[in-house]
Amino acid sequence: NNLPPEFSVDYAYSSGGNSNNIALVYSPVTPPFTFGNALSFDGTNQYVSITNFGAIAPTNEVTVEFWAYTVTNTMQSVFGLSPDAGGTNRFRSHIHWISTNTYWDFGNITTSGRLSYPSPAGTLGNWQHYALVASSNGNFMAIYRNGVLETNKTGMTPFVRGTYELRLGGSDGYFFHGQLDDFRVWNT
């Protein structure tokens, strides 16, 4: 496994010794588009691109954690792969989707690779810490918010590595409106 125990992006650079290229993609503002130390996204067309992520991404055991300040309920992804493999091979999260649900997609969402729950009141306009877990060994998926288990389920599907970039702040036209900080992917 080429993924270090921690793969993190903070202020659009990588730590942990990996050699992936990271690029800020923005329009119409001038980089860095930050809010304090957090990345700030306007919900239209801004994202951070981590190339070749799909070639080293965790396949069976993964925890994704980050801080998010969500501005509105809309059709938005906090992170996702590009190009999207449809519903059969996802690595994506929607927080405060237009339905007001939070989604964690890992692997094949047409079978058992999706977990969702209604976003709690009070989460819009406030910083929230999320930890999204998928475990093949434990055969479960879970979403933690601020250190508390919000929802979980039995079953998950592995992610199949491929030629994908990871986009923080949105992908495939579903751009995040808010701030994102301390994004980490763990292969555990």
Side-chain angles (χ1 to χ4, degrees):
N1 189 339
N2 295 328
L3 187 69
E6 176 186 351
F7 179 86
S8 65
V9 173
D10 187 17
Y11 196 68
Y13 63 86
S14 173
S15 66
N18 84 65
S19 60
N20 287 336
N21 297 318
I22 297 177
L24 292 174
V25 180
Y26 57 91
S27 178
V29 300
T30 303
F33 41 96
T34 62
F35 182 80
N37 288 328
L39 292 168
S40 184
F41 301 98
D42 65 8
T44 58
N45 58 358
Q46 298 173 319
Y47 59 89
V48 173
S49 175
I50 303 167
T51 59
N52 300 319
F53 178 81
I56 62 166
T59 58
N60 295 311
E61 307 294 320
V62 64
T63 300
V64 179
E65 68 168 312
F66 54 89
W67 284 91
Y69 182 99
T70 308
V71 174
T72 187
N73 288 319
T74 189
M75 292 171 46
Q76 60 188 344
S77 292
V78 175
F79 65 87
L81 296 176
S82 182
D84 183 40
T88 60
N89 197 35
R90 286 252 173 101
F91 190 94
R92 176 181 284 191
S93 179
H94 305 287
I95 293 181
H96 283 283
W97 187 253
I98 199 161
S99 65
T100 71
N101 283 346
T102 292
Y103 295 90
W104 164 220
D105 296 342
F106 186 77
N108 189 337
I109 68 168
T110 65
T111 57
S112 59
R114 171 172 272 185
L115 177 61
S116 68
Y117 79 108
S119 301
T123 55
L124 276 177
N126 292 295
W127 280 101
Q128 306 292 313
H129 181 265
Y130 291 90
L132 313 174
V133 180
S135 172
S136 178
N137 290 338
N139 192 32
F140 73 91
M141 293 179 73
I143 298 174
Y144 293 84
R145 186 180 58 85
N146 297 331
V148 176
L149 178 64
E150 292 286 297
T151 189
N152 65 343
K153 73 176 193 74
T154 300
M156 63 83 67
T157 58
F159 173 75
V160 178
R161 289 182 176 153
T163 309
Y164 305 107
E165 66 181 49
L166 179 63
R167 291 185 176 180
L168 308 181
S171 64
D172 300 316
Y174 302 115
F175 295 103
F176 182 61
H177 190 193
Q179 287 85 45
L180 187 61
D181 203 4
D182 294 328
F183 184 90
R184 292 179 172 88
V185 176
W186 305 80
N187 59 351
T188 180

